[in-house]
Amino acid sequence: MPPQRLPIAIIGAGVGGLTAALALHRTGIPCLVFEHAASVNERKSPVTLWATALHLLDRLGVGPRLRLHGLSTLESRICSSTDGRELCRFELTGKNSGGEILAVDRAVLRQTLLE
């Protein structure tokens, strides 16, 4: 009989903790996720997922669902927090883009990882 594995403790149910838990679960490694907050009330805040992150999320089986809720990103702008004036703009297409880039709401990303 193989020895019983003790679960791995993951501290924090944020995006990183939930992604680690999903990856461990998919490989048959038990884990427990601990979160200090009694509930998660996230403000609407977008997360930019670059090609490497999307590749990992695809391997975990959640990439296609995220694409249903996300927005493919062609450019990025940095604006002043005081007056909204555009400070810088990046084109995210072409040979230097590194691949697909997706903007998705952080709460949607967390919920998708939980499902």
Side-chain angles (χ1 to χ4, degrees):
M1 175 185 274
Q4 196 76 12
R5 285 186 170 171
L6 292 175
I8 292 175
I10 298 174
I11 310 304
V15 171
L18 292 177
T19 302
L22 180 58
L24 290 168
H25 175 74
R26 294 280 166 92
T27 58
I29 299 172
C31 62
L32 295 171
V33 179
F34 296 91
E35 173 59 47
H36 176 68
S39 67
V40 180
N41 296 319
E42 293 188 71
R43 300 183 320 261
K44 285 206 172 260
S45 60
V47 174
T48 303
L49 300 173
W50 295 78
T52 304
L54 286 168
H55 177 70
L56 171 67
L57 293 167
D58 284 338
R59 289 185 60 199
L60 293 174
V62 297
R65 281 184 281 158
L66 286 173
R67 286 179 183 85
L68 294 174
H69 300 283
L71 178 65
S72 291
T73 305
L74 303 175
E75 71 177 19
S76 180
R77 299 177 187 185
I78 298 175
C79 299
S80 168
S81 62
T82 55
D83 62 8
R85 168 175 58 87
E86 185 177 296
L87 302 173
C88 185
R89 182 186 302 205
F90 302 90
E91 185 177 319
L92 301 173
T93 59
K95 65 178 182 173
N96 296 323
S97 71
E100 180 183 13
I101 300 167
L102 186 74
V104 65
D105 186 85
R106 183 180 302 275
V108 170
L109 175 56
R110 287 188 78 249
Q111 187 58 43
T112 303
L113 291 167
L114 281 168
E115 294 172 354

